[in-house]
Structures are given as C-alpha cells and as structure tokens.
Amino acid sequence: MFSMITSIYRHPTSRRKWLTIFSGAFITFALVAWYGFGLAGPWAPLMTTAAILAGYDIALRAWAALRLRHLSIELLVIVAATGAVFIDNYWESAAVTFLFMLGAWLESRTMSRTRGALKALIDAAPVTATVLRGGEPVEVAAHVVQLGETVLVKAGQLLPVDGEVIEGAAAVNEAAITGEPIPAEKTPGSRVFAGTLAENGLLYLRATGVGADTTLARIISRVEEAQEAKAPAQRMIESFGRWYTPAVFLLAIGSYLVTRDIELALTLLVVGCPGALVISTPVSVIAGIGRAARAGILIKGGEHLENAGRITALALDKTGTLTEGRPRLAEVVALAGQSREDVLLWAGIAETGSTHPLGRPIIEAARAQGPLPTAEALEEISGMGLIARHTGHQIAVGSHRLFDHLGIAFNAGTTDAIARLHGLGHTVVIVARDGEVVGLLGLADMPRASAKPMIDRLHALGVRRVVMLTGDQRPAAEAIARAVGVDEVHAEMMPDDKLDRIRSLKSEGLGIAMVGDGINDAPALAAADISIAMGAGGSDIAIETADIALMTDDLGKIAEAMEISRATLTNMRQNLVIAVLTVIGLLFGVYTGSIHMAGGMLIHQLSVLIVIANGMRLLRVPKAAKIGTARQIAEHVVA
C-alpha cells in the first residue's frame, strides 16, 4: 500500500488526479452538510481542507518557480486562494484551487495524447528477439543481440533489429519507419528495420543495427528532441510571460489601493492567469510534429515546423529525387527494315556478357519478350561498347565512338534519329549487325510517378518556383523538367554552383527549401531555410543533419510536410486569439462586477481545455491518408 501511494505521489499526473478527487469530495461534503442538513459548522473546515488538498501541488510548483526567481501562474492562484481564506471566503478558495487542479490534471492527461506518435514509436520497439546460437533458437532481450548474429522472425512478429535478410521471404509492414501502409516484399539481400511488422512468411536476418543503433531508436530520439524544442512563437510567448505575471500582480495591487476592495484584487489575480496563452503554442507544435511522424515525416523541431509553412520556393536535385535514380529503356528505334523486337534481341545478346549499368535495363527488356541466347564470343572495348558474335553474325552495341572505331558510317536518317533522342535527354546506345546500323536504344532515368502530382500540389499551396539544380547535362535535365512541371532548370552544376543559386534565390526574398541527400549537396542544404532529406530510412546522416527527413522516397511527403506546417501555424494563431480574448473578457467582467473568483477560474480553465482540444485536431489524419493504428506504426509515429 505504501509503495503504491509513493508511486502515485511521484507521478505528477496521478498525484494531480487524486488530489483533485479528494478536494472535490471535501467540497461535496461541505455543500451537502450546508444545503442538505443546514449544518454551518463543517463549512469552513471542509472547504479549507479542500483548498489545502488542491493547493498542495499548486504551491509546490509555485515554490519551485520562485526558487528560480520566476513569478508563475501557480503563485497567482496560491496568493488569491490564501487571501480568500483570510477574508472568510472559503468557497472561493476551495473552488479556485479545485478548478485549477482539475484543469492541470486534464491538461496533463490531454497533452500526453498529443505525444501519441512518440508513444506509438516506442511501442513499436520489441523487447525480445529470437536468435540462433549453436544452431538452436534462443529468446533474448532485443538490446543484447550481437551484431552479425542471425535473428529469426516469424509471421505476426515485430522485427527486433535492423538487418539484412539472409534467408526466407515475407511481406513486411514498414509504416513505423516510412509511414507507408503497403507492405514491402522482403527477400534475401533486402534491408529491414527494427519495429516493422512481418505480416507473413519467415525471415532469417543478419543483425546490422541493435538497441540504440537501430533506425527506430534514432527516430524516437529525434522525435523526443523535436517535441521538446521550442518554436519561435513559443519562445515569444514565454518571454511575454516573464513580464505578464508581475504585471498582473501590479494590476491587482493597484486596484486594491484605488478601490480598497480586497476581493476585487484577489479575483484579478485569478482571472489574469495566462494559462491558455502559455499552452497555446506548445500543444500545437507537439501535435503537429506527432502528426508528421505518423506520416513518416521526421521534423526536427518547432522552428523547422514553422519555417516549412513559409516556404515559397523549392530547389531539388534531378537524379534520385525527381527521377528513380536508375536508367530504363525509354525508346527503341528500328532502322534498316528491322523490327523493334529484333533490335532489342540483338542488343540483349551482346549485353548478357557485360556488367555495365546501362546493360541491365536492355537485358531486362529483351528477356521480357522471350528467351535470350548467350553470345558465342564477346569483346568489350572500354569506354566505347561491345562487339559480340552470335550464329555467325557480328553484333556491335555502344556509343558513337565505337562506330567511329569500327569505321561504320551513319546515314542522314540515323543521324537525325540520334539527334532526336539526345534532344529528349536520352542516352543513346547504337546497335549494328554485320557492319550495318539496325537500331537505336534510348535510355533515360525516368521521372518518379509522384513527381508531377507533387509539383502541382506545391503550386496549389502557393510555392511560386520549383527549381531543379543538377550536375547532369542540360538536355536530360530539361526533358525531366518538362515531364514533371519544374519551373526553372539549372544544369551542369557543381556543389558550389548550387550554393550560389540558393543564395541568389534567398536574396530575392523567397523562403527556400532544398531537397538533397545530405552529403553531396551539403553546402546548398546548409544555406537553405529548410533542408529536406528523402528516403532517410536507415540513413544516419540524413536523420542527423536534415531539418526534415522523409522516411520514404514518396515526393508527395514534401507537400504533406508543408500542409502539416501550415495547419499548425493556423492552429497556433487560433489558440492565441482564444487565449487573448478570454483574458480580456475576464478582466472586463471583473471590473464590471459580472465575474467573481470561482466563475473566473472556471472560464479560465475552460479556455485552457478549448486551446488543448483545438491543438489536438492536428492529430486527426484525413481518411485517405490514414495508415492505421499505433501497433502497426507499431500497429500499422513523428512522431
């Protein structure tokens, strides 16, 4: 029993709850004794006891603030409640302390819900793991798994470590890391993360990250830091509070000196409490960061949350950001009376013996149309291409330089076709058989499917300019820009060139967000108002350095981050208006005699709860964007 009482006492939310309950009980006893049985004797002791019970926690907080030389809201309440007892106004003293304590408990309880994204992430971390030791499965604590050990994960289990699949296959729900609800298929060689859910199958993992070194642990750490970090608006409110509370004391003292009405002065202390004002911004910031974390968007603090909503220009790289980051076969041009299928077949035969990256999409496309024979002989000429022999035919596949080397000339039609493909930004692979050019292959890094919708969405949000900064050649850059709707293209840029362009955009008064990988684009990212890293799942550098880290490669998350930021800014403004109007209205009511101490405290506490409830609206995710329950984020956050 003693240990339970000690536990309750040490936990602020539990302590406030029980002090509120006991205080309310004594107030109830006093009211029943007076109005039910006409007993006046118990009134003063019961109401005083109620005030002491509720005022105990308030006095502790007031004293802690005084030791730091800070005049707190709690001090206003304690002075007012104590003064009410001395003027025999026991009901007002009990009511003020009870209502303030009730509001503090509800505020604490409700604020914990705004941190639900962090709780969901923590819940996503499994506490045990099954490892193979001596060929036998052994259950151990997740944090004691050794790097390199083999971990067994069955269907329905949460993955306890970051790792690489070495055997087995499963659909893994990675919503806890990426915010994406669609399970990812994992096979040998796939990378997996702690806290994700194996929905079926059986996986054997080689542990590459355990305990505090997992991606999930790093995200939890960053969300904790972000929810504690103060936004500029919050810092402004706290600065305001440093002189506001002393001003209320002076107002109460001045009113007493003029009117000699002690009850008026005490009531001013109560209604002047800036509780709703103080809570107005942090509740919005915490809820906004939590909402973002649920969507797989890691925002590093209140300042970055605010800044994201003020972005008017977005700069991004091409390769791997607007594009998929790997070449694909975009076009096949058949020449000399050949069919497209034959051109692709000849090219595929030659490329099967090559390890060149451009050969992979050619082989994939050739195999998609049927069996692909292997060349009988193959010669690779570095920097030029391939010469293969098959069924007595010579096949040459490569760049313009290879055909100059072989002395194979191009006719006007071939030259025009090559120029057209170059104009589209394609890398051109030329195919010849027995000394005659039979076709051209256009290879390109294709735009992501989410790129154009994202840019359209950004324009709709008021982003005036979307700028591509790339080191790639201009034709390729302009082709992608046309396809996705980019406003400006700056190609063939070095890192210093990107930095100069960011500075130039800032000099025009634009709020700049820069999307990059956190390494090559470091100077430009540092110069931008907001730095955004994409696909940060498992990336230490991106999670540590970027202001906003998107845990997946979905470009739509950039626009979603801006939408969450703007919703948070709007919510902050609404809360500030509610808080300020409440204080003004209460002060007016006190001076006109229409509001007294208990009623003023009731209205004050209601305003606090309205502000909190309004902030919590940010946690609501539209139906189309819902990713499920906490268990899968641990149950189906960023936060």
Side-chain angles (χ1 to χ4, degrees):
M1 175 64 74
F2 178 75
S3 62
M4 184 180 73
I5 293 172
T6 303
S7 175
I8 290 172
Y9 175 81
R10 288 178 176 174
H11 192 282
T13 302
S14 296
R15 183 174 69 240
R16 289 168 192 169
K17 179 179 79 171
W18 287 108
L19 288 174
T20 302
I21 290 171
F22 286 130
S23 176
F26 276 93
I27 291 173
T28 302
F29 294 153
L31 292 172
V32 170
W34 180 275
Y35 293 103
F37 300 98
L39 300 175
W43 179 261
L46 287 174
M47 285 294 183
T48 302
T49 302
I52 291 171
L53 284 168
Y56 169 73
D57 187 78
I58 303 169
L60 286 180
R61 285 181 279 158
W63 174 244
L66 273 176
R67 291 178 64 184
L68 298 173
R69 299 179 181 179
H70 174 58
L71 299 179
S72 64
I73 300 170
E74 287 79 10
L75 185 61
L76 295 178
V77 174
I78 287 298
V79 171
T82 304
V85 169
F86 279 103
I87 63 173
D88 298 330
N89 200 334
Y90 304 107
W91 156 247
E92 297 284 5
S93 179
V96 163
T97 51
F98 169 76
L99 288 168
F100 190 87
M101 181 58 69
L102 176 63
W105 170 58
L106 291 174
E107 176 185 324
S108 177
R109 187 168 175 269
T110 311
M111 282 289 285
S112 68
R113 289 188 60 195
T114 67
R115 299 180 186 269
L118 180 58
K119 182 180 183 301
L121 281 171
I122 293 171
D123 289 345
V127 295
T128 62
T130 302
V131 297
L132 296 182
R133 291 179 177 172
E136 295 295 325
V138 180
E139 189 169 290
V140 300
H143 68 275
V144 302
V145 176
Q146 300 296 309
L147 291 177
E149 279 196 300
T150 299
V151 179
L152 174 64
V153 180
K154 299 177 182 178
Q157 291 184 335
L158 292 169
L159 278 64
V161 297
D162 284 2
E164 181 182 341
V165 178
I166 55 178
E167 186 179 338
V172 176
N173 190 314
E174 297 185 316
I177 302 297
T178 66
E180 293 298 319
I182 300 173
E185 295 296 331
K186 299 297 181 179
T187 54
S190 298
R191 192 174 188 184
V192 292
F193 306 110
T196 56
L197 178 69
E199 297 195 340
N200 60 17
L202 180 68
L203 294 174
Y204 290 85
L205 315 176
R206 181 175 59 83
T208 60
V210 300
D213 291 327
T214 64
T215 299
L216 179 66
R218 289 193 296 273
I219 294 172
I220 290 172
S221 175
R222 294 301 162 257
V223 173
E224 284 178 330
E225 291 174 7
Q227 291 193 331
E228 294 301 324
K230 293 171 182 174
Q234 185 177 349
R235 292 196 295 269
M236 179 195 73
I237 293 298
E238 289 184 355
S239 298
F240 171 75
R242 290 193 187 98
W243 64 263
Y244 177 85
T245 302
V248 171
F249 270 110
L250 291 175
L251 178 64
I253 294 168
S255 297
Y256 172 72
L257 293 175
V258 172
T259 64
R260 296 296 172 176
D261 186 343
I262 187 64
E263 188 168 348
L264 171 66
L266 294 174
T267 304
L268 283 171
L269 291 179
V270 169
V271 303
C273 293
L277 197 62
V278 170
I279 202 69
S280 60
T281 53
V283 68
S284 299
V285 168
I286 291 171
I289 288 172
R291 160 74 181 280
R294 285 181 176 178
I297 302 167
L298 187 59
I299 300 177
K300 304 291 280 296
E303 181 173 2
H304 305 309
L305 180 66
E306 281 194 34
N307 288 342
R310 300 189 176 104
I311 293 303
T312 54
L314 178 73
L316 28 65
D317 191 19
K318 177 182 79 71
T319 305
T321 301
L322 285 172
T323 65
E324 296 173 348
R326 61 187 183 91
R328 287 194 180 185
L329 183 62
E331 188 169 349
V332 179
V333 178
L335 302 169
Q338 299 293 319
S339 67
R340 295 175 72 257
E341 290 76 15
D342 285 342
V343 171
L344 192 53
L345 174 64
W346 293 119
I349 291 170
E351 292 289 356
T352 52
S354 171
T355 58
H356 195 283
L358 290 181
R360 293 173 194 159
I362 296 172
I363 294 169
E364 289 172 4
R367 283 179 174 160
Q369 65 183 23
L372 189 60
T374 303
E376 296 150 9
L378 180 69
E379 179 186 1
E380 186 166 355
I381 302 176
S382 180
M384 297 185 189
L386 304 164
I387 301 173
R389 296 202 66 83
H390 178 67
T391 62
H393 296 285
Q394 182 195 63
I395 307 167
V397 178
S399 67
H400 198 291
R401 292 175 59 202
L402 174 64
F403 294 88
D404 289 343
H405 173 74
L406 295 174
I408 299 175
F410 300 150
N411 59 34
T414 300
T415 302
D416 290 343
I418 292 172
R420 182 181 67 80
L421 291 176
H422 278 310
L424 294 173
H426 294 172
T427 298
V428 180
V429 175
I430 305 165
V431 183
R433 190 182 66 166
D434 297 332
E436 181 183 22
V437 176
V438 295
L440 309 172
L441 305 179
L443 297 166
D445 187 5
M446 304 300 288
R448 293 182 187 272
S450 57
K452 190 174 191 315
M454 180 273 291
I455 291 173
D456 292 341
R457 194 169 161 192
L458 287 175
H459 285 145
L461 284 170
V463 175
R464 299 201 296 270
R465 289 159 71 179
V466 178
V467 182
M468 180 194 292
L469 306 178
T470 179
D472 206 350
Q473 300 296 312
R474 179 163 292 279
E478 289 181 341
I480 294 295
R482 285 193 298 270
V484 301
V486 165
D487 300 309
E488 291 181 25
V489 178
H490 300 277
E492 302 173 27
M493 302 191 84
M494 299 297 289
D496 286 347
D497 299 325
K498 294 183 180 182
L499 173 61
D500 291 341
R501 177 52 54 184
I502 292 292
R503 287 173 173 168
S504 175
L505 290 167
K506 289 183 72 173
S507 70
E508 297 177 36
L510 296 169
I512 307 297
M514 172 71 186
V515 184
D517 60 13
I519 305 171
N520 298 332
D521 297 322
L525 286 165
D529 297 302
I530 288 287
S531 59
I532 302 173
M534 284 187 56
S539 168
D540 293 354
I541 293 175
I543 292 174
E544 294 290 339
T545 60
D547 300 327
I548 298 176
L550 310 181
M551 307 312 292
T552 179
D553 286 327
D554 181 6
L555 285 166
K557 298 293 184 183
I558 297 173
E560 187 173 353
M562 289 184 59
E563 288 170 343
I564 291 171
S565 171
R566 293 186 179 190
T568 303
L569 289 172
T570 299
N571 196 273
M572 282 182 187
R573 296 185 191 107
Q574 292 169 346
N575 283 348
L576 286 171
V577 169
I578 292 168
V580 170
L581 289 180
T582 299
V583 171
I584 293 172
L586 285 172
L587 291 174
F588 179 78
V590 170
Y591 280 114
T592 58
S594 57
I595 290 179
H596 299 284
M597 193 183 296
M601 178 53 73
L602 177 62
I603 294 170
H604 169 269
Q605 292 304 96
L606 285 174
S607 72
V608 170
L609 295 178
I610 289 170
V611 161
I612 292 173
N614 187 49
M616 288 185 65
R617 291 190 305 111
L618 291 168
L619 293 173
R620 291 207 308 262
V621 181
K623 272 189 179 179
K626 281 187 179 176
I627 61 172
T629 64
R631 172 77 180 173
Q632 290 174 313
I633 180 183
E635 279 184 63
H636 191 71
V637 147
V638 148

